[in-house]
Amino acid sequence: MPHGQGYAVFVEGFRGFQGIGVWREVDGVEQQLLIDMGQTIANGTRYRVRFQVEQATAGTTDPRAKMWPEAGMEPAGWDVELTDDTGILQGISGGIAADSWSSLTTGGATPAYTFIDDVEILALCE
């Protein structure tokens, strides 16, 4: 307690497809909003992810996300972009959290891991 709520970006490769998605959580219930399954995630490749949540109007928020190989240039466009009007998520300040999940169990040939580095948080406006 308390239950979490807010917007999140997930880079996924464990539900039978690969992609990047935007989710929301309201009172502890996670809901997938939009996912781009056109991504290819290669083992041993480092990726960068940009996630932005902007208050568009008094009643709507625009979460958006993109990912690209670390060795490449950041793409100009967003992979997923939407407008959400969930009332409890409007007009609030946010925080940040990092999470990793794997479906691998003990005894596997190679352990699964996620490294999170170079986290940068920037205000969209002053």
Side-chain angles (χ1 to χ4, degrees):
M1 290 305 248
H3 292 138
Q5 58 191 30
Y7 295 101
V9 59
F10 284 85
V11 175
E12 302 184 47
F14 63 90
R15 295 191 297 162
F17 59 86
Q18 297 177 352
I20 184 170
V22 172
W23 291 59
R24 74 175 161 227
E25 183 175 351
V26 175
D27 196 24
V29 178
E30 295 178 344
Q31 305 162 343
Q32 178 181 306
L33 295 175
L34 183 64
I35 190 161
D36 174 2
M37 294 184 290
Q39 302 288 335
T40 300
I41 302 170
N43 286 335
T45 301
R46 294 171 58 137
Y47 291 89
R48 294 194 179 271
V49 174
R50 184 172 305 276
F51 180 51
Q52 185 179 80
V53 179
E54 182 177 18
Q55 189 74 46
T57 68
T60 62
T61 303
D62 291 346
R64 49 190 159 255
K66 57 183 161 180
M67 66 179 278
W68 66 98
E70 179 184 54
M73 297 291 295
E74 179 176 351
W78 298 93
D79 294 318
V80 288
E81 185 172 15
L82 61 115
T83 297
D84 184 57
D85 63 358
T86 303
I88 200 161
L89 299 180
Q90 304 307 313
I92 59 172
S93 62
I96 183 168
D99 191 6
S100 178
W101 183 85
S102 173
S103 61
L104 294 180
T105 59
T106 58
T110 307
Y113 55 86
T114 303
F115 294 113
I116 300 172
D117 197 0
D118 300 328
V119 175
E120 184 177 7
I121 303 167
L122 303 170
L124 292 176
C125 54
E126 300 292 323

